[in-house]
Amino acid sequence: SYDTQLPVPDNPKEVHDLSDEFNHLLNQLNTQAIRDHQFVSDASHELRTPLTAIRGHIKLIDRHGKTNPEIIPKSLKFIDSESLRMQKMVESLLQLSRMDHATTDKKDIDLSQLIKNTLDDYENEITQKITRKIPDHIFSYINDDNFKQIIIALLNNASKYSDSNGTIVISIEKSDSIRIKIADNGMGIPDTEKPEIFERFYRVDKARSQDIPGTGLGLSIVKKLVELNNGIIFVKDNIPKGSIFIIELPINNH
Ligand code: ADP
């Protein structure tokens, strides 16, 4: 048998260490398997909800469309928006799964310029006023596409979870690290929920109850993208209300 070919350590302590190591590995594998299982189960559930609703409306049109044609436009609109939601969710899920073992191509990028360009392109998509506090030429070794996506996702959230006439402040500064901040004066995030919002599919109840559209995947993608670029992201309360999302990058990111 194979057993006889394994080197047997004479020192019992070593045997103990080996089994510790083995247990540790096994635990890690288990945790990963549990996480994967949870992920597949969450994803299926999240996709099934809009799918069930879509099928409901198709049946409705099928049964009552002839006699009550006035229901058709409303149902079609619903089917259209829910299928779009599913499409976005599938795209986000694909991006998340692609990122699981990914690395990213980095270059020296002028982050100040990148943020300005992104704002120029995106500013008109939202109703809130955006204030810029962006000194010239702060460079970092990052992936520019990743950062465009990060900035747009955070601006999009700042806009979604604020009044339409609110203000968003975006700033970048460099001291012992580089910090990008996106601050809004919207509904804010309770302390107990702050660690949760970066988890896949997590949405604060208030967002759901106010019917703000979303999948709960945006921030988990943002977090992964930030980490791929050696950064960290966290959220704080804004004063007097709202949230500040902060990305911190090391000065020497090579
Ligand atoms: P989505 O916006 O699609 O729900 P995200 O992963 O981007 O998903 O965000 C997760 C949750 O975090 C949101 O549902 C919302 O409850 C909360 N959130 C995110 N950004 C903000 C913000 N700027 N202000 C208040 N709540 C926010």
Side-chain angles (χ1 to χ4, degrees):
S1 84
Y2 288 113
D3 289 8
T4 53
Q5 287 162 13
L6 280 175
V8 180
D10 353 297
N11 181 347
K13 185 175 174 299
E14 247 173 85
V15 179
H16 186 68
D17 286 350
L18 266 179
S19 80
D20 266 3
E21 224 167 279
F22 181 71
N23 274 333
H24 180 67
L25 204 67
L26 208 61
N27 274 339
Q28 264 183 340
L29 282 173
N30 271 337
T31 329
Q32 188 57 43
I34 291 166
R35 270 201 216 110
D36 288 349
H37 176 85
Q38 188 62 41
F39 182 48
V40 172
S41 142
D42 288 349
S44 312
H45 176 78
E46 294 291 333
L47 286 168
R48 196 164 57 185
T49 309
L51 198 53
T52 307
I54 288 171
R55 291 180 55 87
H57 278 267
I58 291 173
K59 285 218 177 76
L60 193 72
I61 294 176
D62 188 36
R63 281 187 196 145
H64 305 288
K66 275 231 171 70
T67 45
N68 301 70
E70 72 278 2
I71 64 162
I72 295 177
K74 208 178 140 209
S75 282
L76 284 181
K77 203 171 156 217
F78 182 88
I79 290 170
D80 188 47
S81 68
E82 284 301 281
S83 56
L84 184 70
R85 212 170 93 79
M86 286 183 75
Q87 190 183 344
K88 282 191 186 155
M89 208 184 283
V90 169
E91 275 157 19
S92 300
L93 286 171
L94 280 174
Q95 190 183 7
L96 266 175
S97 87
R98 275 200 304 269
M99 280 190 306
D100 259 352
H101 306 282
T103 54
T104 195
D105 289 331
K106 303 183 189 101
K107 279 190 293 199
D108 269 315
I109 301 286
D110 184 344
L111 252 176
S112 308
Q113 199 54 48
L114 182 144
I115 294 173
K116 282 180 196 163
N117 293 343
T118 309
L119 288 176
D120 289 345
D121 292 341
Y122 182 78
E123 211 157 33
N124 294 327
E125 311 258 323
I126 61 179
T127 57
Q128 289 85 357
K129 189 176 166 310
I130 302 181
T131 305
R132 308 177 181 195
K133 294 182 181 166
I134 307 174
D136 282 339
H137 309 309
I138 294 184
F139 278 85
S140 185
Y141 190 69
I142 52 157
N143 179 289
D144 52 349
D145 286 333
N146 289 170
F147 267 80
K148 264 180 222 152
Q149 191 183 348
I150 292 165
I151 303 291
I152 289 175
L154 292 176
L155 282 173
N156 205 7
N157 278 351
S159 167
K160 272 202 300 189
Y161 299 108
S162 300
D163 289 340
S164 56
N165 60 355
T167 308
I168 298 167
V169 182
I170 180 160
S171 62
I172 176 166
E173 63 198 26
K174 183 176 174 177
S175 53
D176 51 344
S177 64
I178 294 172
R179 282 177 165 231
I180 303 169
K181 294 186 190 164
I182 291 157
D184 64 61
N185 52 7
M187 63 173 68
I189 300 162
D191 276 345
T192 50
E193 317 244 15
K194 283 190 180 77
E196 311 280 356
I197 56 170
F198 296 99
E199 297 295 321
R200 297 179 293 207
F201 297 116
Y202 193 86
R203 305 195 72 208
V204 177
D205 267 343
K206 207 170 165 193
R208 290 181 193 273
S209 62
Q210 299 194 2
D211 250 0
I212 300 169
T215 59
L217 290 172
L219 283 179
S220 54
I221 292 178
V222 163
K223 183 165 188 261
K224 277 207 177 182
L225 289 173
V226 169
E227 286 171 356
L228 273 178
N229 287 276
N230 308 329
I232 56 167
I233 180 166
F234 53 97
V235 64
K236 290 199 330 193
D237 288 333
N238 202 359
I239 293 167
K241 71 190 192 78
S243 317
I244 312 179
F245 282 82
I246 302 169
I247 295 168
E248 222 174 72
L249 287 165
I251 290 278
N252 195 343
N253 202 16
H254 281 262

